[in-house]
Amino acid sequence: MESIFGLVGDGFAVVAADTSAVHSILVHKSNEDKIMVLDSHKLVAASGEPGDRVQFTEYIQKNVALYQFRNGIPLTTAAAANFTRGELATALRKNPYMVNILMAGFDKEAGASLYYIDYIATLHKVEKGAFGYGSYFALSLMDRHYHSGMSVEEAIDLVDKCIIEIRSRLVVAPPNFVIKIVDKDGARGYAWRESIRDAGVAAA
């Protein structure tokens, strides 16, 4: 029951993801961070099979770092999104990755941007996007309340509306969410929205 979603505001992009690691009927942990800091000004929120999600996002992260190391300049968000799309398209005909990605970034010339990349290598630049079961609720709320040029406060308020709706409507709803933001000052964590905490192992 994964949920990731994001939107672009005035000079920034914000992404949110649930933090549940589940398999079958079991919840293994409730603090799994599914939003990777790709580099200083890029974020990747991913959903899908846990192994594919971790392996593929780390692969993209290391290749983006390698490009910057070799060439002395970082990839733009558009270039990183197209590279990611190309790797998914190549894998699609060999050993597909079951992973869906929202890539957010900030570039000096282009400003903030958000890219939608699904497991069959579809790439779109969007102002708002979502994946997972929570997308049914997040997309409808964003269609109703989103407008271009949102402030950080407005965007976070909309993200919180989406989280509340997912928690109240989804039959097996993830309890905790992480929110991250990227702007001219870089990519960073913004907040956690927790309704439960992982309990520590009791001492014997």
Side-chain angles (χ1 to χ4, degrees), residues 145-160:
H145 297 288
Y146 176 83
H147 62 85
S148 60
M150 294 182 83
S151 67
V152 173
E153 292 76 17
E154 289 174 320
I156 296 301
D157 182 62
L158 179 49
V159 167
D160 284 337

Side-chain angles (χ1 to χ4, degrees), residues 1 22-28 172:
M1 294 291 180
V22 302
H23 177 71
S24 185
I25 62 172
L26 299 177
V27 177
H28 295 294
V172 183

Side-chain angles (χ1 to χ4, degrees), residues 90-101:
T90 300
L92 187 63
R93 290 149 182 84
K94 298 176 181 178
N95 186 22
Y97 291 102
M98 297 302 294
V99 60
N100 299 304
I101 287 172

Side-chain angles (χ1 to χ4, degrees), residues 69-96:
F69 180 74
R70 283 176 169 171
N71 297 281
I73 57 171
L75 284 170
T76 64
T77 308
N82 277 278
F83 171 73
T84 303
R85 186 260 168 203
E87 294 302 311
L88 279 172
T90 300
L92 187 63
R93 290 149 182 84
K94 298 176 181 178
N95 186 22

